[in-house]
Amino acid sequence: MDSKNHALPHKREMQKQYESYVPAFSEILGNIESLLKQTIRLSSNPTYKTRIKSFGSYYKKVLRQKAGEAAESSALVALTDMIGIRIICPFVEDLAVVERQVQGAFDVREIERKGAEKSFREFGYESVHILVAIPKECMPKVSSSPALPENLVCEIQVRTILQDAWAEVEHELVYKSEFNPFDTPLRRKLAAINASLSLADIIFQEIRDYQKRLQSELGTRRNTFYEKADELSQQLSGGAAGAKAQESARQEDSAVQESIDDLVLSALHEHNVGNFERAIEIYTQIVHASPKPSDVVLSVIYKHRGMAYFAQNLYEEALGDFRTSIALDPKSFRSMYYEGIVCSVQDRHREAVECFDRSLAVNSFQSHVYYRRALSLYSLGEYAAAMADVNSAMRLGMEDEEVKGLKSRLVQKFDMGM
């Protein structure tokens, strides 16, 4: 009989000793989770899972890896994965962000990227494992008895949702069983599933990247449109602003080969940098694309093209596109709003008010629409209704100088007895 194994503590004694630490481990995990939630900042909030290693798993690992240490000491044998927290993120890009934020907030002892060494023919989950020292502020409030190991660490795992799903299933199917030479077909199936999940993660990230680029371009384009509307609203004559000369190399043949998504981004970019004619050409190309985009997509494209026409002071063309957008999508409240802006710029304030009415009927939480309707009502001499709209805009958080200025003018009207 091996004397070292004989010297190992009885399993029951080890279990009793291990379980005496569980309350302290639970408190530490709760404190670290709270610290992580204060530290990690992502556009989409991650999910957190905490885990204390079961005694069964702990005992097997001690016997397998640290039997000698357990035999020579009556103290708890510390493993690096006794306590752990998993941070589950929506997108692949989040992993590096979380890793940097963890490094900035904790004393990191080790970082391991599991699965990175596997070839595409192998199955296995990818996961970032970060070992951190326990911060003093995360230690139990009351001193633990028995004392915690000095080298105690917490394992923080960082995964995507799909990586976590795969890891959970793999743990049941692979880690808890042993394969034999006849398991090759099963290995291939598992490898195929893992590859599919990895591909899905990549595609989700590509969609996320596209959305970010799209939203950035949309935000720039929308702000430019509003600035143009403000400029025209302030001009007594309503005259056209001088057009800028545009000199940009055009690659017609390559544009034809682009996907609808690429064309949309190209059009928005040209729109945002002031190449309105080129933007209109690309929008028109999308409208006439084959296969034909859905009505909802076409509604958006007509709305954008209408905004480009508006930027060139082509008001009737802009109105035509906004109305087509509404016909394709009767709930397009922004197209209704833009139609109202064009009408107000043309001093057709009664029509503008009707457009703003329809926009607010679809979405009543648009502070800027209340403000624009107030401007038209003011021009029509309907000061009480205009004041009501100004107050609605301000209640919804619109507090800029233009709103305050309009309110001051309305107050003067009331003081003068209208």
Side-chain angles (χ1 to χ4, degrees):
M1 180 179 294
D2 190 306
S3 59
K4 184 168 288 189
N5 286 341
H6 182 69
L8 278 174
H10 195 285
K11 182 178 180 181
R12 290 180 184 173
E13 294 176 5
M14 289 185 68
Q15 182 173 3
K16 183 178 180 181
Q17 180 191 46
Y18 184 77
E19 290 177 350
S20 69
Y21 286 92
V22 169
F25 289 166
S26 296
E27 187 174 348
I28 290 171
L29 279 177
N31 293 336
I32 293 179
E33 182 180 5
S34 296
L35 180 56
L36 283 169
K37 287 180 177 179
Q38 296 170 25
T39 302
I40 303 303
R41 290 290 178 266
L42 298 175
S43 56
S44 299
N45 291 329
T47 300
Y48 297 86
K49 293 181 181 179
T50 60
R51 172 197 57 79
I52 298 174
K53 198 175 189 69
S54 69
F55 173 73
S57 297
Y58 169 81
Y59 185 71
K60 289 179 183 178
K61 196 166 185 178
V62 167
L63 292 184
R64 187 171 66 250
Q65 296 184 2
K66 299 193 176 186
E69 184 179 335
E72 295 171 3
S73 173
S74 60
L76 178 74
V77 177
L79 301 179
T80 59
D81 62 347
M82 290 191 300
I83 60 175
I85 295 180
R86 192 173 302 162
I87 306 175
I88 304 168
C89 310
F91 302 103
V92 172
E93 68 176 356
D94 298 329
L95 304 183
V97 176
V98 170
E99 183 177 331
R100 287 196 301 270
Q101 293 177 349
V102 168
Q103 287 179 297
F106 292 85
D107 175 11
V108 175
R109 300 297 174 84
E110 180 183 327
I111 298 178
E112 181 182 7
R113 291 172 175 81
K114 291 188 177 289
E117 76 286 353
K118 294 183 180 295
S119 74
F120 70 93
R121 294 185 181 87
E122 298 177 285
F123 53 85
Y125 71 89
E126 292 186 15
S127 180
V128 179
H129 291 200
I130 308 171
L131 297 183
V132 302
I134 310 301
K136 289 182 179 180
E137 64 268 29
C138 294
M139 284 295 188
K141 300 298 182 186
V142 180
S143 58
S144 300
S145 179
L148 292 167
E150 292 184 2
N151 57 343
L152 182 65
V153 294
C154 177
E155 182 181 67
I156 300 176
Q157 300 177 356
V158 188
R159 301 173 182 166
T160 66
I161 294 171
L162 294 182
Q163 287 172 351
D164 187 61
W166 167 254
E168 294 286 358
V169 175
E170 185 204 39
H171 186 75
E172 295 296 324
L173 295 181
V174 181
Y175 185 76
K176 289 187 175 181
S177 65
E178 294 184 5
F179 279 90
N180 57 57
F182 301 102
D183 289 324
T184 299
L186 292 179
R187 286 179 175 271
R188 288 175 177 167
K189 289 178 181 178
L190 287 169
I193 294 172
N194 187 40
S196 298
L197 291 174
S198 297
L199 178 60
D201 253 341
I202 292 170
I203 293 173
F204 285 155
Q205 185 59 56
E206 289 177 348
I207 294 172
R208 181 69 162 181
D209 292 341
Y210 172 80
Q211 287 178 330
K212 285 184 176 180
R213 290 169 59 202
L214 182 61
Q215 291 305 315
S216 176
E217 297 286 1
L218 284 173
T220 303
R221 189 257 319 124
R222 190 176 295 121
N223 289 336
T224 302
F225 179 85
Y226 293 156
E227 288 170 4
K228 174 75 172 180
D230 288 338
E231 176 188 333
L232 293 173
S233 296
Q234 292 167 6
Q235 292 178 3
L236 295 176
S237 62
K244 296 180 179 179
Q246 303 296 336
E247 295 182 2
S248 61
R250 298 180 182 180
Q251 300 176 350
E252 303 287 349
D253 293 337
S254 62
V256 173
Q257 303 301 320
E258 293 180 293
S259 69
I260 295 295
D261 288 344
D262 291 333
L263 286 171
V264 169
L265 282 174
S266 296
L268 290 173
H269 175 71
E270 297 294 337
H271 194 152
N272 289 338
V273 298
N275 296 335
F276 302 119
E277 291 182 2
R278 177 58 180 154
I280 289 170
E281 289 177 6
I282 302 174
Y283 289 137
T284 303
Q285 184 179 347
I286 298 171
V287 166
H288 296 298
S290 181
K292 186 178 180 181
S294 68
D295 284 352
V296 173
V297 172
L298 282 174
S299 173
V300 173
I301 298 305
Y302 276 109
K303 177 178 66 179
H304 293 333
R305 193 175 72 174
M307 297 169 80
Y309 279 133
F310 179 82
Q312 293 185 298
N313 303 319
L314 299 173
Y315 302 137
E316 292 306 317
E317 289 84 349
L319 281 174
D321 273 1
F322 292 144
R323 288 165 180 166
T324 301
S325 172
I326 297 166
L328 289 165
D329 180 8
K331 293 185 178 180
S332 182
F333 55 88
R334 286 199 177 93
S335 293
M336 299 170 191
Y337 169 52
Y338 298 154
E339 180 188 2
I341 287 179
V342 178
C343 290
S344 65
V345 166
Q346 294 180 311
D347 289 329
R348 295 153 59 179
H349 292 291
R350 182 57 61 193
E351 292 178 59
V353 169
E354 292 173 358
C355 296
F356 298 140
D357 287 346
R358 287 187 281 117
S359 181
L360 290 169
V362 178
N363 180 358
S364 61
F365 299 100
Q366 302 179 81
S367 60
H368 47 285
V369 182
Y370 284 109
Y371 169 65
R372 291 287 176 182
R373 188 170 69 176
L375 286 174
S376 288
L377 290 168
Y378 181 88
S379 297
L380 292 168
E382 300 178 17
Y383 303 125
M387 180 61 85
D389 273 357
V390 166
N391 290 334
S392 294
M394 296 181 77
R395 278 197 301 272
L396 289 171
M398 195 170 186
E399 295 282 354
D400 54 29
E401 294 304 316
E402 288 80 1
V403 179
K404 293 176 182 177
L406 179 57
K407 186 165 187 175
S408 295
R409 296 199 301 274
L410 285 166
V411 169
Q412 290 176 4
K413 291 288 186 182
F414 289 121
D415 289 342
M416 295 169 59
M418 294 188 290

